[in-house]
Amino acid sequence: MHILVIGGAGMVGRKLIERLARDGRLGGTPITRITAHDVVTPKLPEAPFPIDTRVSDLSVPGEAAALVAERPDVILHLAAIVSGEAEADFEKGYRINLDGTRHLFDAVRMIEGYTPRLVFTSSIAVFGAPFPEAIPDEYFHTPLTSYGTQKAMGELLLADYTRRGFFDGIGIRLPTICVRPGLPNKAASGFFSGIIREPLAGQEAILPVSEDVMHWHASPRSAVGFLIHAATLDGASVGTRRNLTMPGLAVTVGEQIEALRKVAGDKAVARIKKVPDPVIETIVSGWPRKFDAARATALGFKAESSFEEIIRIHIEDELGGKIAD
Amino acid sequence: MHILVIGGAGMVGRKLIERLARDGRLGGTPITRITAHDVVTPKLPEAPFPIDTRVSDLSVPGEAAALVAERPDVILHLAAIVSGEAEADFEKGYRINLDGTRHLFDAVRMIEGYTPRLVFTSSIAVFGAPFPEAIPDEYFHTPLTSYGTQKAMGELLLADYTRRGFFDGIGIRLPTICVRPGLPNKAASGFFSGIIREPLAGQEAILPVSEDVMHWHASPRSAVGFLIHAATLDGASVGTRRNLTMPGLAVTVGEQIEALRKVAGDKAVARIKKVPDPVIETIVSGWPRKFDAARATALGFKAESSFEEIIRIHIEDELGGKIAD
């Protein structure tokens, strides 16, 4: 089985390729090759099969056709300009997130008799406030960012191209990924990970919102699990509604902090500094808090059931099991 | 006030221009000029102001920019490849319905300090079965045609471009227009109008589905009313959710026939021949039947409240008040 990962240099892409290298197979079928594509060279793990890298811009005409010319059996499309950048650079966001996705879908469409499984990572940013208490699977998409708009358009294309038989698509709306490894960044959502990651590493973290802010989380390990399940799921069981809200965990910032206390003690919690930021409070108030991800759950997608579990996964996968004193 | 009508040669576009010519004003402001655009030369009424015609393909780069260069105050975008053709010709549908719309939106975006009211005609085809009994305003879009997909993508663009301040957009999802004047056509929905229009003209009509089929209708006069209300509505009262399901009338085919009997008698009803067509039955079973168009109704959009009214409007507007004996 040949797998193409588009966006292979990103955090989730890298972890996905590591997992596939470890498993050596996908849905019971041995992997013979992975092609890892991104705009920068992906860092690759050791693997029992060859991994090629391709570096190009998917939005340049012809690049998508070159990528799929060898007819990979499974395509995982994770590449995107993130929310903040797509908001700051209107044209770049549409060029990569909408046109790049459409180029990929069209490149697959143009190859006769080729209908690979194609997994598209969408986002809960397709939803925009106001919301019901828990957002059901049938709730409409009124994104309040250009990024969310581009993802919602990608979902519509995916469903139509699948209905037409051009490929066998599954779109998955990822929760906010927590705990995101790496350095603190300036994303408005950064603090959800920062208030866990920094204290566990002995660093101070800033909390810019009040403790009653609720949000929808899943670990990086779950995100990889969603991608693998979406890549191997029986398409017929999904029907015509091809885009799914992934399961996750709805917790308040206060519950995040209490989970940190249980796992790492008062000393870790004391490293969280409350510095209210009205700008971030306002941005976050427009975000979804909680979903009823009934369809994805029924289809076998699984996320964490406690925030302590999310913290423990971070400690295992990123900190070699050790936390700062 | 200068008004640009894109799709001015179509049935609704023509009726819209006739109404504007008759009114001489829009929302209290005198109309100084209309530009009527289409791929064929629109047939134009006498008017108390000049009407220019422009014939071009909106999807050709540069055409949209040329159309909006004179900064019309209001743009009404009605042009589209219809459902059946967008399904039969995949690339043409996306080129006109998606790319043409995006070219128009981008042409407006590129003119600095220009934020016209832009009305986009969408369709109830953005919805796909299965449905609840009456589809609420918050119900999600899972179109089952490429046409519906393209309209849903246009709605998303409209909301994002409006949020960004590039223009002041309102999207309206039209019900099935009934009674559609003119010759019978091969559209799967054609019979909804045919079973009224043909008998009133003394002709035989074919009914391919059972009498319990329910559907969502509004007259051509209402469609023009929706466009004019959308063109003049206070944008602030609409908020960020810029796309609205228009009100309509949910009636069964049986109720349509009983209304025809009341208006035109048994002789007219006897001209309807039942010739069941399983292909059309199947297509129609995937269509929406009924909506709860609460938001649009609260915003002042109005449709007919009985099917007899819809029939009487057809007799007044198309038959000069006379029906066949």
Side-chain angles (χ1 to χ4, degrees):
Chain A
M1 177 181 278
H2 176 197
I3 302 171
L4 169 63
V5 179
I6 299 173
M11 186 269 287
V12 175
R14 212 183 60 232
K15 285 182 177 287
L16 170 67
I17 294 170
E18 280 166 9
R19 160 90 187 265
L20 294 172
R22 220 160 48 231
D23 291 356
R25 43 181 64 225
L26 177 66
T29 308
I31 300 170
T32 52
R33 187 173 149 207
I34 287 181
T35 302
H37 174 272
D38 214 309
V39 288
V40 295
T41 308
K43 242 185 101 178
L44 298 172
E46 291 292 312
F49 46 74
I51 308 183
D52 318 324
T53 61
R54 297 277 186 92
V55 177
S56 73
D57 179 340
L58 196 65
S59 72
V60 172
E63 290 300 336
L67 259 183
V68 301
E70 290 177 70
R71 300 181 170 222
D73 302 290
V74 173
I75 301 174
L76 295 131
H77 177 31
L78 286 68
I81 298 296
V82 298
S83 185
E85 191 176 359
E87 203 59 22
D89 190 338
F90 180 85
E91 294 187 352
K92 188 176 183 183
Y94 275 92
R95 185 168 56 80
I96 305 296
N97 294 348
L98 175 58
D99 297 331
T101 297
R102 191 168 166 207
H103 285 320
L104 172 66
F105 290 4
D106 277 332
V108 174
R109 172 172 72 84
M110 296 304 285
I111 302 176
E112 202 143 341
Y114 172 52
T115 54
R117 168 59 49 88
L118 195 158
V119 179
F120 171 63
T121 50
S122 185
S123 162
I124 56 173
V126 300
F127 299 98
F131 302 115
E133 173 59 25
I135 302 174
D137 282 324
E138 295 75 19
Y139 201 66
F140 71 161
H141 298 169
T142 56
L144 294 173
T145 58
S146 293
Y147 174 81
T149 303
Q150 294 145 11
K151 288 293 187 187
M153 293 176 81
E155 288 193 11
L156 285 161
L157 285 176
L158 177 114
D160 197 40
Y161 280 53
T162 298
R163 187 185 63 81
R164 290 271 192 166
F166 299 142
F167 54 68
D168 180 8
I170 306 282
I172 60 174
R173 286 174 212 125
L174 296 181
T176 290
I177 302 302
C178 191
V179 180
R180 180 173 276 275
L183 296 171
N185 65 29
K186 294 197 171 178
S189 62
F191 70 87
F192 289 119
S193 285
I195 58 168
I196 307 299
R197 183 185 58 225
E198 267 61 276
L200 289 175
Q203 311 285 322
E204 201 169 80
I206 301 293
L207 175 60
V209 304
S210 72
E211 291 200 15
D212 60 1
V213 166
M214 180 177 271
H215 198 59
W216 186 246
H217 300 283
S219 72
R221 198 192 278 179
S222 280
V224 168
F226 297 154
L227 287 162
I228 287 178
H229 191 58
T232 55
L233 194 60
D234 172 26
S237 68
V238 181
T240 56
R241 295 175 171 180
R242 287 285 167 152
N243 297 286
L244 300 161
T245 296
M246 290 294 101
L249 183 68
V251 286
T252 63
V253 168
E255 289 167 336
Q256 285 188 266
I257 293 172
E258 285 319 300
L260 178 65
R261 194 185 311 277
K262 279 193 196 153
V263 174
D266 291 338
K267 209 168 153 186
V269 170
R271 296 185 185 121
I272 300 171
K273 286 241 159 170
K274 294 185 185 180
V275 186
D277 182 331
V279 175
I280 293 184
E281 278 273 15
T282 302
I283 294 175
V284 171
S285 71
W287 290 351
R289 293 175 303 270
K290 188 177 180 178
F291 291 86
D292 176 12
R295 282 193 70 216
T297 303
L299 286 163
F301 289 91
K302 281 188 190 70
E304 287 77 19
S305 54
S306 79
F307 201 78
E308 287 165 65
E309 196 182 341
I310 288 181
I311 296 175
R312 293 215 170 85
I313 286 171
H314 178 72
I315 295 169
E316 271 178 48
D317 289 358
E318 305 296 332
L319 305 178
K322 283 177 210 139
I323 58 177
D325 199 26
Chain B
M1 177 180 278
H2 176 195
I3 302 171
L4 169 61
V5 180
I6 299 173
M11 186 269 287
V12 175
R14 212 183 59 232
K15 285 181 177 288
L16 169 67
I17 294 170
E18 280 167 10
R19 161 89 187 265
L20 293 171
R22 219 161 47 231
D23 291 356
R25 40 183 63 226
L26 177 65
T29 308
I31 300 169
T32 52
R33 186 172 150 209
I34 287 182
T35 302
H37 174 273
D38 213 309
V39 289
V40 296
T41 308
K43 242 186 104 178
L44 298 172
E46 291 293 310
F49 45 75
I51 308 182
D52 318 325
T53 62
R54 297 275 187 94
V55 177
S56 73
D57 179 341
L58 196 64
S59 73
V60 171
E63 290 300 337
L67 261 183
V68 302
E70 292 177 69
R71 300 181 171 221
D73 303 288
V74 173
I75 301 174
L76 295 132
H77 178 31
L78 286 68
I81 298 295
V82 298
S83 186
E85 192 177 0
E87 204 59 21
D89 190 337
F90 180 86
E91 295 187 352
K92 187 175 182 182
Y94 275 90
R95 184 167 57 79
I96 305 295
N97 293 349
L98 175 58
D99 297 332
T101 297
R102 192 169 166 204
H103 285 320
L104 173 66
F105 290 3
D106 277 332
V108 175
R109 172 172 71 86
M110 296 306 285
I111 302 176
E112 204 144 339
Y114 172 54
T115 54
R117 167 59 49 88
L118 195 158
V119 179
F120 172 63
T121 51
S122 185
S123 163
I124 55 173
V126 301
F127 300 98
F131 303 116
E133 173 60 26
I135 302 174
D137 282 325
E138 295 75 18
Y139 200 66
F140 70 161
H141 298 167
T142 56
L144 293 174
T145 58
S146 293
Y147 174 81
T149 303
Q150 293 144 12
K151 288 293 185 188
M153 293 177 81
E155 288 193 12
L156 286 161
L157 285 176
L158 178 113
D160 197 40
Y161 281 53
T162 297
R163 186 184 63 82
R164 290 272 191 165
F166 298 142
F167 54 69
D168 179 8
I170 305 282
I172 61 175
R173 286 175 213 125
L174 296 181
T176 290
I177 302 303
C178 191
V179 180
R180 179 173 276 277
L183 296 173
N185 65 29
K186 294 199 170 177
S189 62
F191 70 87
F192 288 119
S193 285
I195 58 168
I196 307 300
R197 182 186 59 226
E198 267 61 274
L200 290 175
Q203 311 286 321
E204 200 167 85
I206 301 293
L207 175 60
V209 304
S210 72
E211 290 199 15
D212 60 1
V213 165
M214 179 178 270
H215 198 59
W216 186 245
H217 300 283
S219 72
R221 198 192 278 179
S222 280
V224 168
F226 297 154
L227 286 162
I228 287 178
H229 191 58
T232 54
L233 193 60
D234 172 26
S237 68
V238 182
T240 56
R241 294 175 171 179
R242 287 285 168 151
N243 297 287
L244 300 161
T245 296
M246 291 293 101
L249 183 68
V251 286
T252 63
V253 167
E255 289 166 336
Q256 285 188 267
I257 293 171
E258 285 319 299
L260 178 66
R261 195 186 309 276
K262 278 192 196 153
V263 174
D266 290 337
K267 209 168 154 186
V269 170
R271 295 185 185 121
I272 300 170
K273 285 244 160 166
K274 295 186 184 180
V275 186
D277 182 331
V279 174
I280 293 183
E281 278 272 15
T282 302
I283 295 175
V284 171
S285 70
W287 290 350
R289 294 175 303 268
K290 188 177 180 178
F291 291 85
D292 176 12
R295 282 193 69 215
T297 303
L299 286 163
F301 289 91
K302 282 189 189 69
E304 287 77 19
S305 54
S306 78
F307 201 80
E308 287 165 65
E309 196 183 341
I310 287 181
I311 296 175
R312 291 213 170 86
I313 286 171
H314 178 73
I315 295 169
E316 271 177 51
D317 289 359
E318 305 296 333
L319 305 178
K322 285 178 209 137
I323 58 177
D325 199 28

